Amino acid sequence: GENVEQHPSTLSVQEGDSAVIKCTYSDSASNYFPWYKQELGKRPQLIIDIRSNVGEKKDQRIAVTLNKTAKHFSLHITETQPEDSAVYFCAAKGGSARQLTFGSGTQLTVLP
Amino acid sequence: GAGVSQSPSNKVTEKGKDVELRCDPISGHTALYWYRQSLGQGLEFLIYFQGNSAPDKSGLPSDRFSAERTGGSVSTLTIQRTQQEDSAVYLCASSGRGTGISGANVLTFGAGSRLTVL
């Protein structure tokens, strides 16, 4: 089945700096890659997603890039703010899998 | 309903007891997922229901875990003879058909059921 690895597990940045979180996946047939944000004590919520026929997608301060050849995708957050502090999960789905496989999560802390 | 509802929000039980966790998905959503999140850990897939198809049970960690979905709506996750390592937050999510692959795969999560096994 699909295996998703996520790095780093923790990331601290100064407010205003950029943050990058990287994920790799194993199933070359995967075609859908969402990112979820989970604030402390709350449920995960989708923040951005990308399909395999697209190399990059942006939504205001967040962007996701996908390299199908290398089987990795990344989340980029620019001009970070304290409210960006949360755990971020990447995920992959496609091929024969019917469920999303999540990465292990990245605890992002934005320091004021 | 407006969102995914889970109950109970908190459950404390003694080792060896059985527990049932309930999930009420968004009305009309055909897909329902159960994930487990241990303290400070990622989201571990447990089971997936899609319409009338046979569920994908490949993530259930042992035969003490089972789940059913009645009438294509409400789902119950049952853990028999609970162990301390079962302590975690159990998250339910649902997704609808939407348009295109993104819409059909966007998961809406419930608030979770926090299980503590003493």
Side-chain angles (χ1 to χ4, degrees):
Chain A
E2 177 67 276
N3 182 48
V4 178
E5 295 192 357
Q6 183 171 348
H7 300 280
S9 57
T10 60
L11 177 62
S12 294
V13 299
Q14 291 293 139
E15 182 176 357
D17 288 350
S18 295
V20 180
I21 302 169
K22 299 181 179 180
C23 289
T24 60
Y25 60 99
S26 60
D27 187 351
S28 58
S30 288
N31 55 13
Y32 175 66
F33 307 92
W35 287 85
Y36 283 76
K37 175 183 180 182
Q38 186 177 30
E39 297 178 9
L40 187 62
K42 296 189 177 180
R43 69 196 76 185
Q45 292 191 307
L46 178 74
I47 56 171
I48 194 168
D49 57 13
I50 191 168
R51 299 165 54 177
S52 59
N53 60 349
V54 175
E56 182 176 4
K57 184 177 178 181
K58 286 185 178 181
D59 183 3
Q60 300 182 345
R61 295 186 298 107
I62 61 174
V64 57
T65 59
L66 171 65
N67 183 327
K68 285 187 62 180
T69 301
K71 291 189 286 187
H72 68 68
F73 56 113
S74 300
L75 177 71
H76 304 251
I77 306 174
T78 59
E79 301 172 22
T80 53
Q81 300 169 3
E83 54 263 38
D84 295 330
S85 295
V87 178
Y88 292 80
F89 293 97
C90 62
K93 181 177 179 179
S96 60
R98 296 190 289 165
Q99 78 280 2
L100 275 176
T101 299
F102 284 86
S104 54
T106 297
Q107 172 69 63
L108 173 65
T109 303
V110 179
L111 304 170
Chain B
V4 178
S5 298
Q6 291 189 245
S7 61
S9 56
N10 274 288
K11 175 71 176 179
V12 180
T13 190
E14 293 180 347
K15 177 182 174 180
K17 300 283 190 181
D18 297 351
V19 296
E20 284 190 350
L21 308 176
R22 175 190 167 102
C23 173
D24 195 348
I26 291 174
S27 178
H29 276 192
T30 57
L32 186 148
Y33 307 75
W34 283 97
Y35 287 87
R36 178 169 70 175
Q37 187 172 32
S38 300
L39 185 63
Q41 300 299 309
L43 298 166
E44 177 188 5
F45 167 74
L46 296 177
I47 189 168
Y48 163 70
F49 296 90
Q50 173 60 276
N52 294 321
S53 302
D56 179 348
K57 304 179 182 180
S58 60
L60 294 178
S62 77
D63 59 7
R64 296 186 296 104
F65 288 73
S66 63
E68 62 178 19
R69 188 178 185 191
T70 54
S73 182
V74 172
S75 177
T76 301
L77 177 69
T78 301
I79 308 172
Q80 296 179 308
R81 305 180 302 281
T82 52
Q83 303 295 313
Q84 289 184 331
E85 59 263 29
D86 299 335
S87 296
V89 175
Y90 289 82
L91 288 163
C92 175
S94 69
S95 66
R97 295 198 178 277
T99 55
I101 191 171
S102 292
N105 286 288
V106 174
L107 300 189
T108 300
F109 283 87
S113 291
R114 181 177 297 278
L115 174 66
T116 303
V117 182
L118 302 177

